[in-house]
């Protein structure tokens, strides 16, 4: 390096001031020699010039600094600090600056990373739990069929039916999970096709006619004839309405009707503009208010026991939510317990 280039080198203060994450330097005197403003915000304004034991306070951090000053080795530790009254987790990197005797500490807030990790762990725990229940049943019946029920033809048929049902359930779970992961994967890619919501509704209702008939449910659709366009992914929108109408049939109760209506709102407060609204109304037991905010969480079943008996996975509304997010739309749910439920899909209309 030439002398000129050296002259151009900024000094230590301006270098660490340019770093976005909290950074400080401990000198040979074991005092905090420099810190940037992010570090001041984190540790307080008056730590400059203090001995590192009083400046840092956190025992784990002080210990790591002591050891790095002794052995000159770089380290990384994770500490929990209280920032403005709330807990935050930081990864702190310690590194000796070559031949200077200075120790550089940089802090990285890992709260978001930790939260994502936690969500991943919860998700795996949930999936395992959901799969284990039907699997345990199947394993139990296999044992029974090999042992006590070996020569009992009637029991065998019954158990095989139950096993087929449990296998179906696992199949639906895996199908739902794959569908959810596909939807999440392209959530940030806006759809680009102009599609007719009425056409999509009619396709959905055709698909569900057999289920409705078997459940003794009458589907009434008041969608008119004129096309009503949104920018969307037709397959995904069919998936949305299929989930909602299927729920209305499943949970709305046999021998009742389910109404599907289509309308336009001049101004939706959340979309901040005009909206196309599709409402699915049933006349079943409805949903208790405490469940409403959590319905779109994965695996959430309002009435877990009943939901499972009816083959629910709790993934349907989670998929609906992700698809609507992708479409810049939203889902509204209203219910008076005992009088049924109303699920409304709100979508921005296609520009004229
Ligand atoms: N129309 C409805 N009436 C009453 N409860 C409903 C209705 N739709 C959904 N729910 C409740 O919301 C839960 C989540 O629905 P969903 O995500 O579609 O999962 P699944 O149908 O697989 O159980 C259901 O288990 C049920 O308790
Ligand atoms: Mg469902």
């Amino acid at each position: 390096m030439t002398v000129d280039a050296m002259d151009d080198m900024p000094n230590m203060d301006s270098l660490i001031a340019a770093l976005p994450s909290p950074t400080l330097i401990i000198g040979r005197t074991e005092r905090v020699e420099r810190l940037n403003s992010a570090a001041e915000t984190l540790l307080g304004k008056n730590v400059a010039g203090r001995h590192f034991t009083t400046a840092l306070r956190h025992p784990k951090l002080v210990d790591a600094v002591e050891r790095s000053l002794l052995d000159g080795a770089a380290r990384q530790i994770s500490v929990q600090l209280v920032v403005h009254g709330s807990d935050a987790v930081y990864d702190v990197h310690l590194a000796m600056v070559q031949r200077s005797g200075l120790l550089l500490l940089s802090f990285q807030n890992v709260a978001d990373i930790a939260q994502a990790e936690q969500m991943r762990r919860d998700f795996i725990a949930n999936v395992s739990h959901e799969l284990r229940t039907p699997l345990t049943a199947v394993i139990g019946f296999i044992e029974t069929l090999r042992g006590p029920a070996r020569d009992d033809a009637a029991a065998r048929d019954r158990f095989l039916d139950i096993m087929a049902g449990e296998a179906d359930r696992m199949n639906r779970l895996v199908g739902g999970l794959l569908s959810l992961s596909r939807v999440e994967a392209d959530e940030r890619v806006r759809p680009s096709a102009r599609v007719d919501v009425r056409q999509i509704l009619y396709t959905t209702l055709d698909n569900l006619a057999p289920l409705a008939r078997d459940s003794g449910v009458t589907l009434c659709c008041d969608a008119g004839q004129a096309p009503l366009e949104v920018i969307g992914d037709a397959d995904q929108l069919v998936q949305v309405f299929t989930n909602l109408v299927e729920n209305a049939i499943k949970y709305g109760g046999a021998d009742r009707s389910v109404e599907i209506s289509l309308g336009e709102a001049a101004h939706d407060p959340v979309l901040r503009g005009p909206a196309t609204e599709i409402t699915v109304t049933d006349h079943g037991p409805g949903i208790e208010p405490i469940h409403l905010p959590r319905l779109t969480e994965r695996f959430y079943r309002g009435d877990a026991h009943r939901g499972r008996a009816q083959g629910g996975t709790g993934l349907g509304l989670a998929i609906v939510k992700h698809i609507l997010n992708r479409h810049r739309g939203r889902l509204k749910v209203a219910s008076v317990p005992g009088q049924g439920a109303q699920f409304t899909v709100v979508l921005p209309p296609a520009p004229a």
Side-chain angles (χ1 to χ4, degrees), residues 243-244 246-252 282 284-287 295-297 300-304 306-308 311-318 340-343:
N243 273 313
L244 296 181
E246 209 177 62
N247 280 351
I249 296 173
K250 262 198 320 195
Y251 304 113
D282 69 62
I287 303 158
L295 286 184
T296 59
E297 281 175 24
Y300 193 83
R301 285 178 292 252
D303 181 335
R306 189 185 59 195
R308 194 168 285 168
T313 59
L315 293 173
L317 291 176
Q342 252 192 358
F343 286 77

Coordinates of all heavy atoms in Angstrom, one line a residue, residues 243-244 246-252 282 284-287 295-297 300-304 306-308 311-318 340-343, ligand 1:
N243 N -62.6 -24.4 -0.7 CA -62.4 -24.5 0.7 C -63.6 -23.9 1.5 O -64.1 -24.5 2.5 CB -61.1 -23.8 1.2 CG -59.9 -24.7 1.1 OD1 -59.9 -25.9 1.5 ND2 -58.8 -24.2 0.5
L244 N -64.0 -22.7 1.1 CA -65.0 -22.0 1.9 C -66.4 -22.7 1.7 O -67.1 -22.9 2.7 CB -65.2 -20.6 1.4 CG -63.9 -19.7 1.7 CD1 -64.1 -18.3 1.2 CD2 -63.5 -19.7 3.2
E246 N -66.9 -25.9 0.8 CA -66.8 -27.2 1.5 C -67.0 -27.1 3.0 O -67.7 -27.9 3.6 CB -65.4 -27.7 1.2 CG -65.3 -29.2 1.1 CD -63.8 -29.6 0.7 OE1 -62.9 -29.2 1.5 OE2 -63.7 -30.2 -0.3
N247 N -66.3 -26.1 3.6 CA -66.5 -25.9 5.0 C -68.0 -25.6 5.4 O -68.5 -26.1 6.3 CB -65.7 -24.7 5.5 CG -64.2 -25.0 5.7 OD1 -63.9 -26.2 5.7 ND2 -63.4 -24.0 6.0
A248 N -68.6 -24.8 4.5 CA -70.0 -24.4 4.8 C -70.9 -25.7 4.7 O -71.8 -25.8 5.5 CB -70.5 -23.4 3.8
I249 N -70.6 -26.6 3.8 CA -71.3 -27.8 3.6 C -71.0 -28.7 4.8 O -72.0 -29.2 5.5 CB -71.0 -28.5 2.3 CG1 -71.4 -27.7 1.1 CG2 -71.6 -29.9 2.3 CD1 -70.9 -28.3 -0.2
K250 N -69.7 -28.8 5.2 CA -69.3 -29.7 6.3 C -69.8 -29.3 7.6 O -70.3 -30.1 8.4 CB -67.8 -29.8 6.3 CG -67.2 -31.0 5.6 CD -65.7 -31.2 6.1 CE -64.8 -30.0 6.3 NZ -63.4 -30.4 6.4
Y251 N -69.6 -28.0 7.9 CA -69.9 -27.5 9.2 C -71.3 -26.9 9.4 O -71.8 -26.7 10.4 CB -68.9 -26.5 9.7 CG -67.5 -27.1 9.6 CD1 -66.5 -26.6 8.7 CD2 -67.1 -28.1 10.5 CE1 -65.3 -27.1 8.7 CE2 -65.8 -28.7 10.4 CZ -64.9 -28.2 9.5 OH -63.7 -28.7 9.4
G252 N -71.9 -26.6 8.2 CA -73.2 -25.9 8.2 C -74.3 -26.9 8.6 O -75.4 -26.4 8.9
D282 N -73.6 -19.9 5.6 CA -74.3 -21.1 6.0 C -75.2 -20.9 7.2 O -75.2 -19.8 7.8 CB -73.3 -22.2 6.3 CG -72.5 -22.0 7.5 OD1 -73.1 -21.9 8.6 OD2 -71.2 -21.8 7.4
G284 N -75.4 -23.1 10.0 CA -75.0 -24.1 10.9 C -74.8 -23.5 12.3 O -75.3 -22.4 12.6
P285 N -74.0 -24.2 13.2 CA -73.8 -23.7 14.5 C -73.0 -22.5 14.7 O -73.0 -21.8 15.7 CB -73.1 -24.9 15.2 CG -72.5 -25.6 14.1 CD -73.3 -25.5 12.9
G286 N -72.3 -22.1 13.6 CA -71.5 -20.9 13.7 C -70.2 -21.1 14.4 O -69.9 -22.2 14.7
I287 N -69.6 -20.0 14.7 CA -68.2 -20.1 15.4 C -68.2 -19.1 16.6 O -68.6 -18.0 16.5 CB -67.2 -19.6 14.3 CG1 -67.3 -20.5 13.1 CG2 -65.8 -19.7 14.9 CD1 -66.6 -19.9 11.9
L295 N -58.8 -18.7 13.2 CA -59.2 -19.6 12.2 C -58.2 -19.9 11.1 O -58.1 -21.0 10.6 CB -60.5 -19.2 11.6 CG -61.8 -19.3 12.5 CD1 -63.0 -19.0 11.7 CD2 -61.9 -20.7 13.0
T296 N -57.5 -18.9 10.7 CA -56.6 -19.0 9.5 C -55.2 -19.6 9.9 O -54.4 -19.7 9.0 CB -56.5 -17.7 8.7 OG1 -55.9 -16.7 9.6 CG2 -57.8 -17.3 8.1
E297 N -55.0 -19.9 11.2 CA -53.7 -20.5 11.6 C -53.7 -21.9 11.1 O -54.7 -22.6 11.1 CB -53.6 -20.5 13.1 CG -53.2 -19.2 13.7 CD -53.2 -19.3 15.2 OE1 -53.0 -20.4 15.8 OE2 -53.3 -18.2 15.8
Y300 N -55.4 -25.1 12.9 CA -56.4 -24.7 13.9 C -57.8 -25.2 13.6 O -58.3 -25.0 12.5 CB -56.4 -23.1 14.0 CG -57.2 -22.7 15.2 CD1 -56.5 -22.6 16.4 CD2 -58.5 -22.3 15.1 CE1 -57.2 -22.2 17.6 CE2 -59.2 -21.9 16.3 CZ -58.5 -21.9 17.5 OH -59.2 -21.5 18.6
R301 N -58.3 -25.9 14.5 CA -59.7 -26.4 14.4 C -60.5 -25.8 15.5 O -60.2 -26.0 16.7 CB -59.7 -27.9 14.4 CG -59.2 -28.5 13.1 CD -59.2 -30.0 13.2 NE -58.3 -30.5 14.1 CZ -57.1 -31.1 13.8 NH1 -56.9 -31.3 12.5 NH2 -56.3 -31.4 14.7
G302 N -61.6 -25.1 15.1 CA -62.4 -24.4 16.1 C -62.8 -25.4 17.2 O -62.5 -25.2 18.4
D303 N -63.4 -26.5 16.8 CA -63.8 -27.5 17.8 C -63.1 -28.7 17.4 O -63.5 -29.5 16.5 CB -65.4 -27.7 17.6 CG -65.9 -28.7 18.6 OD1 -65.1 -29.6 19.0 OD2 -67.0 -28.7 19.0
A304 N -61.9 -28.9 18.0 CA -60.9 -29.9 17.5 C -61.5 -31.3 17.4 O -61.3 -32.0 16.4 CB -59.7 -29.9 18.4
R306 N -64.7 -32.2 17.0 CA -65.7 -32.3 15.9 C -65.0 -32.2 14.5 O -65.2 -33.0 13.6 CB -66.7 -31.2 16.0 CG -67.9 -31.4 15.1 CD -68.8 -30.2 15.2 NE -68.1 -29.0 14.9 CZ -68.6 -27.8 15.2 NH1 -69.7 -27.7 15.8 NH2 -67.9 -26.7 14.8
G307 N -64.0 -31.3 14.5 CA -63.3 -31.1 13.2 C -62.6 -32.3 12.8 O -62.7 -32.7 11.6
R308 N -62.0 -33.0 13.7 CA -61.3 -34.2 13.4 C -62.2 -35.3 12.9 O -62.0 -36.1 12.0 CB -60.4 -34.7 14.5 CG -59.4 -35.7 14.1 CD -58.3 -35.9 15.1 NE -57.4 -34.8 15.2 CZ -56.5 -34.7 16.2 NH1 -56.5 -35.5 17.2 NH2 -55.6 -33.7 16.2
G311 N -63.0 -35.1 9.5 CA -61.9 -35.3 8.6 C -61.1 -34.0 8.3 O -60.4 -33.9 7.4
G312 N -61.3 -33.0 9.2 CA -60.7 -31.7 9.0 C -59.2 -31.8 9.3 O -58.7 -32.5 10.2
T313 N -58.4 -31.0 8.5 CA -57.0 -30.9 8.8 C -56.6 -29.6 9.4 O -55.5 -29.4 10.0 CB -56.1 -31.0 7.5 OG1 -56.5 -30.0 6.6 CG2 -56.4 -32.4 6.8
G314 N -57.5 -28.6 9.3 CA -57.2 -27.3 9.8 C -56.2 -26.5 8.9 O -55.7 -25.5 9.3
L315 N -56.0 -27.0 7.7 CA -55.1 -26.3 6.8 C -55.9 -25.4 5.7 O -55.3 -24.5 5.1 CB -54.2 -27.3 6.0 CG -53.2 -28.0 6.9 CD1 -52.5 -29.1 6.1 CD2 -52.2 -27.1 7.5
G316 N -57.2 -25.8 5.5 CA -57.9 -25.1 4.5 C -57.9 -23.6 4.5 O -57.6 -22.9 3.5
L317 N -58.2 -23.0 5.7 CA -58.3 -21.6 5.8 C -56.9 -20.9 5.8 O -56.8 -19.8 5.3 CB -59.1 -21.1 7.0 CG -60.6 -21.5 7.0 CD1 -61.3 -21.1 8.3 CD2 -61.3 -20.7 5.8
A318 N -55.9 -21.7 6.2 CA -54.5 -21.1 6.1 C -54.1 -21.0 4.6 O -53.5 -20.0 4.2 CB -53.5 -22.1 6.8
G340 N -75.1 -19.6 12.3 CA -74.4 -19.7 11.1 C -73.2 -18.8 10.9 O -72.9 -18.0 11.8
A341 N -72.5 -19.0 9.8 CA -71.3 -18.2 9.6 C -71.3 -17.6 8.2 O -71.9 -18.1 7.3 CB -70.1 -19.1 9.8
Q342 N -70.5 -16.5 8.1 CA -70.4 -15.8 6.8 C -68.9 -15.6 6.5 O -68.3 -14.9 7.3 CB -71.1 -14.5 6.9 CG -72.4 -14.4 6.2 CD -72.9 -13.0 6.1 OE1 -72.3 -12.1 6.6 NE2 -74.0 -12.9 5.3
F343 N -68.4 -16.1 5.5 CA -67.1 -15.9 5.0 C -67.1 -15.1 3.8 O -67.7 -15.4 2.8 CB -66.4 -17.2 4.8 CG -66.0 -18.0 6.0 CD1 -67.0 -18.7 6.7 CD2 -64.7 -18.0 6.5 CE1 -66.6 -19.4 7.9 CE2 -64.4 -18.7 7.6 CZ -65.3 -19.4 8.3
Ligands
LIG1 N1 -68.7 -22.5 8.0 C1 -68.1 -22.8 9.2 N2 -68.9 -23.0 10.3 C2 -68.4 -23.4 11.5 N3 -67.1 -23.5 11.7 C3 -66.2 -23.4 10.7 C4 -66.7 -23.0 9.4 N4 -65.7 -22.9 8.5 C5 -64.6 -23.2 9.3 N5 -64.9 -23.5 10.5 C6 -64.0 -23.8 11.6 O1 -62.7 -23.5 11.3 C7 -61.8 -24.5 11.4 C8 -60.7 -24.4 10.4 O2 -61.2 -24.6 9.0 P1 -60.2 -25.1 7.9 O3 -59.0 -24.3 8.0 O4 -60.9 -25.1 6.6 O5 -59.8 -26.6 8.4 P2 -60.7 -28.0 8.3 O6 -61.9 -27.7 7.5 O7 -59.7 -28.9 7.6 O8 -60.9 -28.3 9.7 C9 -62.7 -25.8 11.3 O9 -62.1 -26.9 11.9 C10 -64.0 -25.3 11.9 O10 -63.9 -25.5 13.3

